Amino acid sequence: MSIDLNFIVNHLIEISPELWKAAYQTTVMVGATMLFSVITGVPLGVLLVVTEKGGIMESPKFCSVLGTIVNVFRSIPFIILLIALFPLTRLLVGTTVGTAAATVPLVVGAAPFVARIVESSLKEVDKGVVEAAISMGAKPWQIITKVLLPEALPGIILGLTITTVTVIGYSAMAGVVGGGGLGDLAYRYGFQRFDEITTYAVVVILVVMVQLVQSLGNWLSKAVNKK
Amino acid sequence: MCASSVCQKGPLVFYGKDGGVMISIKNLTKIYQNGSQSVKALDNISLHIKKGEIAGIIGYSGAGKSSLVRCLNMLEKPTAGTITIDNREITSLSDEELRVARREIAMVFQHFNLLSSRTVFGNVAFPLEIAGVPKREIKQRVEKLLSLVGLVDKAAVYPAQLSGGQKQRVGIARALANDPKVLLCDEATSALDPETTKSILKLLKDINCQLDLTILIITHEMKVITEICDTVAVLENGSIIEMGNVVDVFTRPQHPTTRAFVQTVINTEIPEPVRQHIGQGGDGKVIRISFIGDHTEKPVISRIVKKFDVDANILYGNIDHLQDTPFGGLIIKLTGQQDDIARAEEYLAGQGLQIEVITNEH
């Protein structure tokens, strides 16, 4: 098969409104997912660290229960989570179809991931610095907001970058169940209509997106890292 | 502010300051329980530190020094015993009371423990923020503290860009932020080179003088003790084996460990050639005369030669200074009639000198 450049260009122009719309939907989906994942995942990660044995609010039982819950959600494959959460999605959004609906399973899938990433970043914080804060009479809340989170920020940002890239991948899967976005576009055009050009165009857009996210994350992490 | 002349006198400070007891440790015991194994880090320690004093605790690693200092601000909970700081028993405080009390028990760490995400200014401001001091007041206070430790020009710099000595200065400024009553230094100079150690010790001494702050220094370095401490306690296996005024303890060390520490700064060993010479024998009695303070100025050797019918041959001698007190030792060979030598020895002992017989050949 010879490559007809003319045909490719014309086809791309033809589908470009669809491509842009899908890229926009993906961006919104990933953005909203990250927002809600951070809102829920960061406190979870902090709780995992401060309640562990030797933590500043030691409570090993609570910690292990929380850890188990996080692990349960992390061990469910996303495609299953997507379907299993239909009732919850319907409850929260009123429908199981569309970008907003896709955000629900995405958050449930990403938040535990964020929690673990925040946990491991916080564990990297020098114990001596926390101890110094304790020796000055800092309250647990002050230690969390003034020591742990600021000191771990570069690591947390890098971790969130990884999460965002993963969520971009998940969001494509969400598209398959009618979530819209680039995954949906590639599925409908590429798979159902054998439109390879659209598939490759989607791949290129995804690659560019991931590159942008990773570069932004690296830059931001470096900017806040004063070590 | 105390007169600088008093401050420079070293050991005299200890007697000159008439403050009451600042830190009182009674029967402190700390046992670490690790599964079925238990390690006794501190064994029934009792110790008093006076107000305005610089107290040193020296010991090898594993002696229990760190456990002791960490018990003082309750970073470690004592297994038994009580600790009273400024008439307040800190071992019986509630969590909230302890948090407030900790503001007055500042600590300086071996590895500085500065917040890497905050500038020098932010690090010194940190304890003030925690204590809820208003922003404007924080600014004034931090500026004052930075000028005290000589880092005004580094206010906007992050710790990563500072040298070890500068980092410790930030650590000290931070420790002083809430006007503490006690400053605990946990191996504060152990990560620093000798020159920097000296300047940090000088800073601590200045702070002690200017603020009349009680300082407790934990170290394994003899130099730290002899440089600035008024009193010293030698810790081994969780027990205090010797304590008192620095000059007293180190000029008359009783315990082998104390002697080993003294050896690191003052050579009291007999040099090999002298030892060989003594070993060759010959007539006479070889004795070591040790003297402290005023005795160094008395011409005791020429006196025994004049007074008694003996000859004195000086084999070896040294004089050192511990803070401002001179002390040293002479190894001499006395030859003559046995009872003349005995009377000469008696005379020397009568002068308040310590006599130790090394060999006696006749």
Side-chain angles (χ1 to χ4, degrees):
Chain A
M1 196 182 93
S2 70
I3 296 169
D4 185 345
L5 207 61
N6 235 352
F7 173 74
I8 293 174
V9 172
N10 281 334
H11 187 65
L12 278 177
I13 290 169
E14 195 186 319
I15 61 157
S16 70
E18 286 284 323
L19 273 176
W20 287 125
K21 193 181 152 210
Y24 173 74
Q25 281 175 339
T26 296
T27 309
V28 170
M29 224 183 329
V30 171
T33 301
M34 285 315 293
L35 179 71
F36 289 114
S37 300
V38 166
I39 290 172
T40 49
V42 171
L44 283 176
V46 169
L47 277 176
L48 282 171
V49 172
V50 296
T51 59
E52 74 173 348
K53 202 171 178 303
I56 54 172
M57 293 166 76
E58 202 176 9
S59 175
K61 272 198 187 128
F62 178 85
C63 185
S64 75
V65 170
L66 191 66
T68 309
I69 295 171
V70 167
N71 283 344
V72 165
F73 278 97
R74 285 201 53 207
S75 50
I76 302 172
F78 182 65
I79 194 79
I80 295 173
L81 197 66
L82 203 55
I83 298 156
L85 285 178
F86 273 168
L88 178 70
T89 309
R90 198 169 288 128
L91 190 76
L92 289 174
V93 193
T95 171
T96 59
V97 185
T99 312
T103 308
V104 175
L106 279 173
V107 170
V108 175
F113 197 78
V114 171
R116 285 296 181 199
I117 272 170
V118 169
E119 181 195 15
S120 71
S121 299
L122 292 182
K123 278 184 177 167
E124 294 285 303
V125 174
D126 185 0
K127 294 267 180 299
V129 180
V130 176
E131 196 159 76
I134 295 172
S135 81
M136 288 172 213
K139 296 186 182 94
W141 177 248
Q142 291 172 319
I143 295 173
I144 292 166
T145 55
K146 288 177 186 284
V147 180
L148 286 176
L149 288 174
E151 289 289 299
L153 195 58
I156 291 175
I157 289 174
L158 279 185
L160 290 180
T161 307
I162 295 170
T163 316
T164 309
V165 170
T166 309
V167 167
I168 291 173
Y170 282 1
S171 81
M173 267 190 255
V176 177
V177 294
L182 290 164
D184 182 42
L185 185 73
Y187 182 70
R188 281 188 288 120
Y189 281 65
F191 183 67
Q192 293 178 334
R193 296 190 202 168
F194 307 105
D195 178 358
E196 284 160 12
I197 295 169
T198 304
T199 307
Y200 292 132
V202 165
V203 169
V204 170
I205 292 175
L206 285 173
V207 168
V208 171
M209 264 187 170
V210 168
Q211 284 297 334
L212 280 176
V213 167
Q214 191 65 53
S215 304
L216 183 72
N218 289 348
W219 173 80
L220 209 59
S221 168
K222 215 172 164 190
V224 299
N225 191 352
K226 305 297 181 187
K227 265 189 185 164
Chain B
M1 217 168 122
C2 66
S4 60
S5 63
V6 175
C7 273
Q8 283 160 4
K9 282 266 165 103
L12 288 179
V13 177
F14 173 52
Y15 301 110
K17 284 178 185 169
D18 53 10
V21 173
M22 176 55 89
I23 302 174
S24 175
I25 302 170
K26 278 195 195 111
N27 308 108
L28 180 67
T29 297
K30 173 72 191 175
I31 298 167
Y32 291 99
Q33 201 74 41
N34 195 353
S36 58
Q37 275 195 322
S38 67
V39 180
K40 203 175 225 179
L42 297 172
D43 189 3
N44 201 21
I45 284 185
S46 293
L47 183 68
H48 300 281
I49 295 166
K50 285 187 182 150
K51 204 169 266 177
E53 180 175 295
I54 303 184
I57 291 178
I58 191 166
Y60 293 118
S61 54
K65 300 171 299 209
S66 273
S67 299
L68 179 57
V69 76
R70 290 162 59 83
C71 279
L72 289 177
N73 59 4
M74 299 290 283
L75 280 177
E76 301 281 1
K77 305 270 181 276
T79 311
T82 58
I83 297 164
T84 310
I85 294 181
D86 200 30
N87 297 319
R88 198 154 178 215
E89 200 186 304
I90 61 151
T91 31
S92 63
L93 297 179
S94 71
D95 281 3
E96 186 50 42
E97 287 172 322
L98 180 61
R99 269 197 278 274
V100 177
R102 274 173 172 158
R103 289 179 200 156
E104 302 196 321
I105 313 165
M107 197 167 190
V108 177
F109 302 86
Q110 179 176 6
H111 298 296
F112 326 123
N113 294 351
L114 302 176
L115 289 154
S116 63
S117 57
R118 284 181 173 230
T119 60
V120 167
F121 184 97
N123 268 287
V124 180
F126 181 71
L128 295 164
E129 283 174 31
I130 281 175
V133 176
K135 268 222 163 83
R136 220 190 33 207
E137 213 172 300
I138 289 181
K139 193 169 182 306
Q140 286 176 347
R141 189 110 187 88
V142 173
E143 274 162 9
K144 223 165 150 189
L145 287 160
L146 288 181
S147 84
L148 178 71
V149 299
L151 285 178
V152 178
D153 55 326
K154 299 283 183 200
V157 165
Y158 286 90
Q161 291 151 270
L162 298 177
S163 69
Q166 288 171 328
K167 282 182 193 166
Q168 198 56 294
R169 282 169 187 273
V170 178
I172 291 170
R174 178 177 73 173
L176 297 176
N178 278 321
D179 278 325
K181 290 187 175 128
V182 173
L183 183 65
L184 307 173
C185 303
D186 188 5
E187 298 275 8
T189 58
S190 301
L192 306 172
D193 61 67
E195 226 19 70
T196 316
T197 296
K198 244 186 178 160
S199 79
I200 292 293
L201 291 178
K202 190 180 170 299
L203 175 64
L204 288 173
K205 182 92 203 171
D206 289 347
I207 289 164
N208 165 257
C209 283
Q210 283 181 31
L211 311 174
D212 198 26
L213 183 68
T214 309
I215 302 180
L216 176 65
I217 295 176
I218 298 290
T219 186
H220 65 271
E221 293 169 306
M222 215 14 220
K223 276 229 160 13
V224 174
I225 303 282
T226 57
E227 198 96 4
I228 64 167
C229 291
D230 303 318
T231 60
V232 64
V234 184
L235 205 60
E236 191 173 64
N237 295 328
S239 300
I240 291 175
I241 51 171
E242 236 169 295
M243 68 175 159
N245 176 292
V246 168
V247 175
D248 293 345
V249 170
F250 289 139
T251 50
R252 301 183 196 86
Q254 303 296 314
H255 195 280
T257 303
T258 316
R259 259 181 235 141
F261 276 121
V262 173
Q263 283 295 334
T264 62
V265 283
I266 298 153
N267 185 23
T268 55
E269 286 282 297
I270 305 162
E272 201 44 42
V274 178
R275 197 196 300 276
Q276 272 174 14
H277 180 85
I278 296 168
Q280 279 160 11
D283 268 4
K285 189 171 189 177
V286 180
I287 61 170
R288 185 211 293 266
I289 309 169
S290 304
F291 42 81
I292 303 162
D294 298 342
H295 298 299
T296 48
E297 284 150 32
K298 288 186 193 162
V300 286
I301 304 300
S302 63
R303 275 205 202 137
I304 55 164
V305 174
K306 274 186 209 157
K307 264 183 127 110
F308 312 101
D309 192 16
V310 292
D311 276 325
N313 181 17
I314 298 175
L315 300 176
Y316 178 69
N318 66 330
I319 297 178
D320 264 297
H321 282 78
L322 197 55
Q323 292 177 342
D324 281 343
T325 306
F327 81 105
L330 270 183
I331 294 171
I332 60 171
K333 187 190 237 176
L334 294 173
T335 42
Q337 291 296 319
Q338 210 150 6
D339 39 327
D340 282 331
I341 292 175
R343 278 193 292 148
E345 269 186 77
E346 219 168 275
Y347 170 80
L348 289 171
Q351 297 294 306
L353 301 168
Q354 266 191 308
I355 310 295
E356 183 193 338
V357 178
I358 294 170
T359 57
N360 191 3
E361 307 268 342
H362 257 282

